Amino acid sequence: MTTRPLGRPVPGEGQDGLYSQSWFPLCLSTEPGPGRVLGVDFLGGRVAVFRGAAGGPARVVSGYCAHLGADLSVGHVEGERLRCRYHGWRYDGGGVCTATGTGEPVPPRARLFSFPSRESHGIVWAFNGRRPLFDVPGLPVPPDELLLRHTVLDEAPVDPWLVAAQTMDVQHFLLQHGFALDDGDDPNDTVTATAHSMGYPLRLTTPEKHRLDLRVEIHGTNVFRQTGTLDGRWFCWLTALRSVRPGVSRPYFVLGARRAEGGADPAEDEAFLDRAIGVMMGMLADDAPVLLTLHFRPGLLTRSDRALARYLEYVRRHPRAHPAREDIS
């Protein structure tokens, strides 16, 4: 067995004031209802997520008023505008100040940082950058045919890319989880990649004899997408982590199944989701004691770490930025 040094360290989120340029989950779509504003800790600062009174898309802007820095999440929505509670400055969905509370002219530079945002899979997402480099990963089943469940966990003392690294650590599937890969399969040899994603097919049997036939992928450095079958039935599993601040993230989970044709058996749909959640959350429970205590220091890797080594190099090269830093801090 040969080993080799891994090389330079993997940068932590927030190192040198920079974060991965990726889509991050901020909240569930149900949280900022019509006419509501929500404050969210993000990228070492704070953002405001709001939706106009008539509904429409959720907007994501820097969380502090351009006037004196009041937290906009304690303000409210007037029509389609976000109103600062302190002095009544109002902002449109693009972060532009449209009026002051006194009626005086708006200063020319009075605007908030407006994050590119999307709503997908029941989550409000924001991209760390002025323009997205790629799209929020989709699913191969139309939304109206999907039954989705969401789980949001508390903040965890770990960077998102480190959680995603478990997908590329083939050894941990075998040694920690006790999975049995199909004869002749070695995911290390089937990894494919784009500029902003990596993945491979994964076919295995769990110790409880569940059969999984999957495509697993990492998008950006923080979004894990899994599609395929559990015991012959299609399902999907999405894990996305928000960078709250350096070394801290908040995980969001989406698990989905295709509804029975014509809604024929909703009870069986729910029972299948229960079973799938049990399998996937069981894996997470297996990983948690390690991830929550891990002092990650990639040193000597072996041949069995080929996919992991490739992923860590991918993270090193992934674009990093923080154009909103001055506005959200």
Side-chain angles (χ1 to χ4, degrees):
M1 179 181 295
T2 58
T3 62
R4 59 188 177 87
L6 189 59
R8 57 194 173 91
V10 180
E13 295 293 356
Q15 183 175 320
D16 302 321
L18 305 175
Y19 291 82
S20 294
Q21 289 201 267
S22 190
W23 288 100
F24 292 92
L26 295 188
C27 59
L28 299 180
S29 290
T30 53
E31 293 182 84
R36 289 194 58 194
V37 57
L38 182 72
V40 178
D41 294 330
F42 181 43
L43 303 180
R46 192 160 176 82
V47 298
V49 183
F50 74 99
R51 201 185 300 276
R59 308 291 188 177
V60 181
V61 295
S62 49
Y64 297 107
C65 183
H67 181 210
L68 294 178
D71 187 334
L72 292 169
S73 70
V74 302
H76 61 276
V77 176
E78 289 184 349
E80 301 303 305
R81 302 287 190 261
L82 176 58
R83 185 184 190 278
C84 178
R85 180 171 178 173
Y86 201 17
H87 294 99
W89 286 31
R90 292 180 286 282
Y91 299 89
D92 66 16
V96 176
C97 183
T98 60
T100 64
T102 62
E104 294 175 286
V106 175
R109 293 187 297 167
R111 64 182 306 140
L112 309 172
F113 187 92
S114 178
F115 287 84
S117 60
R118 301 279 190 276
E119 289 191 66
S120 185
H121 320 310
I123 291 174
V124 177
W125 306 76
F127 189 85
N128 173 30
R130 298 187 184 281
R131 299 175 192 82
L133 301 179
F134 57 95
D135 290 330
V136 176
L139 294 171
V141 173
D144 60 353
E145 295 180 18
L146 283 173
L147 179 63
L148 297 180
R149 288 191 191 171
H150 300 84
T151 301
V152 183
L153 300 185
D154 293 335
E155 293 178 1
V158 63
D159 275 337
W161 67 264
L162 181 52
V163 177
Q166 306 311 297
T167 302
M168 294 297 166
D169 182 358
V170 177
Q171 289 192 62
H172 109 282
F173 287 129
L174 307 178
L175 301 176
Q176 178 164 310
H177 295 307
F179 296 158
L181 297 179
D182 281 9
D183 288 343
D185 273 12
D186 185 350
N188 283 292
D189 297 327
T190 55
V191 175
T192 57
T194 70
H196 305 294
S197 68
M198 292 186 72
Y200 57 81
L202 182 63
R203 295 175 288 269
L204 56 85
T205 302
T206 73
E208 297 76 26
K209 304 305 179 186
H210 291 293
R211 173 67 185 172
L212 290 162
D213 192 340
L214 308 169
R215 171 73 187 178
V216 297
E217 298 171 342
I218 302 299
H219 293 258
T221 61
N222 64 305
V223 182
F224 166 70
R225 182 182 68 176
Q226 171 181 292
T227 56
T229 59
L230 167 64
D231 299 330
R233 180 167 178 175
W234 187 90
F235 82 117
C236 61
W237 176 258
L238 194 77
T239 301
L241 297 103
R242 181 203 328 145
S243 280
V244 178
R245 54 188 176 276
V248 176
S249 61
R250 190 162 195 199
Y252 286 68
F253 301 95
V254 182
L255 188 132
R258 191 194 298 264
R259 297 177 187 274
E261 188 172 350
D265 197 347
E268 174 52 30
D269 293 342
E270 296 288 352
F272 173 72
L273 277 186
D274 288 340
R275 188 162 68 254
I277 287 173
V279 172
M280 301 310 298
M281 295 305 281
M283 293 171 56
L284 179 65
D286 248 1
D287 283 331
V290 174
L291 287 175
L292 298 180
T293 59
L294 181 61
H295 180 63
F296 191 79
R297 186 179 58 195
L300 298 175
L301 298 186
T302 71
R303 187 174 183 279
S304 298
D305 293 311
R306 298 190 305 284
L308 177 61
R310 188 172 174 183
Y311 170 75
L312 295 176
E313 186 58 29
Y314 162 88
V315 174
R316 289 191 195 94
R317 295 178 178 177
H318 199 275
R320 304 171 72 233
H322 198 355
R325 175 168 42 191
E326 300 301 321
D327 298 283
I328 69 174
S329 300

